Amino acid sequence: QGALVESGGGLVQPGGSLRLSCAASGIVFSIHVMNWYRQAPGKQRELVATVTKEFRTNYGDSVKGRFIISRDNAKNTVYLQMNSLKPEDTAVYYCNAQFYGVEYWGQGTQVTVAS
């Protein structure tokens, strides 16, 4: 059974940076599309960034130019480098793996941007 475990969340000041990691196990990581989602209190879950198995990337409009998604297939890990963080980036960030309708979710990691 596949499992995803996120890490790297925490409290950061506006303008700061964080790097989230998501380690996968029990799946053939290299064939999965990997996504980062986030959910702020009282809001719907939002797609933040995607990296395909061909290493193509896509970003939500609110994070373009600030966040970078990457993957390391040798380590079965996907990363989200978050720069120039804003208070509105505060949310629980979730890792997601997709392969032809089958998907897995991590438990989430809290990111709080506040001074």
Side-chain angles (χ1 to χ4, degrees), residues 62-108:
S62 61
V63 307
K64 280 181 182 175
R66 299 188 298 122
F67 289 12
I68 301 171
I69 189 171
S70 61
R71 65 189 298 161
D72 185 338
N73 288 346
K75 295 182 178 179
N76 288 354
T77 300
V78 62
Y79 304 97
L80 186 67
Q81 177 67 44
M82 304 186 295
N83 302 317
S84 302
L85 283 161
K86 306 175 181 180
E88 51 264 43
D89 294 318
T90 295
V92 178
Y93 283 71
Y94 297 92
C95 179
N96 168 267
Q98 294 183 358
F99 180 71
Y100 287 102
V102 178
E103 63 178 357
Y104 303 91
W105 289 92
Q107 81 289 351

Side-chain angles (χ1 to χ4, degrees), residues 2-7 20-27 29 34 36 75-79 95 106-107:
L4 304 174
V5 179
E6 301 100 334
S7 61
L20 305 183
S21 300
C22 170
S25 61
I27 64 173
F29 179 79
M34 299 302 298
W36 285 98
K75 295 182 178 179
N76 288 354
T77 300
V78 62
Y79 304 97
C95 179
Q107 81 289 351

Side-chain angles (χ1 to χ4, degrees), residues 28-35 49-59 68-79 98:
V28 182
F29 179 79
S30 62
I31 65 174
H32 283 72
V33 174
M34 299 302 298
N35 303 294
T50 296
V51 59
T52 70
K53 61 183 178 71
E54 296 88 5
F55 293 85
R56 290 193 296 265
T57 59
N58 194 33
Y59 298 92
I68 301 171
I69 189 171
S70 61
R71 65 189 298 161
D72 185 338
N73 288 346
K75 295 182 178 179
N76 288 354
T77 300
V78 62
Y79 304 97
Q98 294 183 358

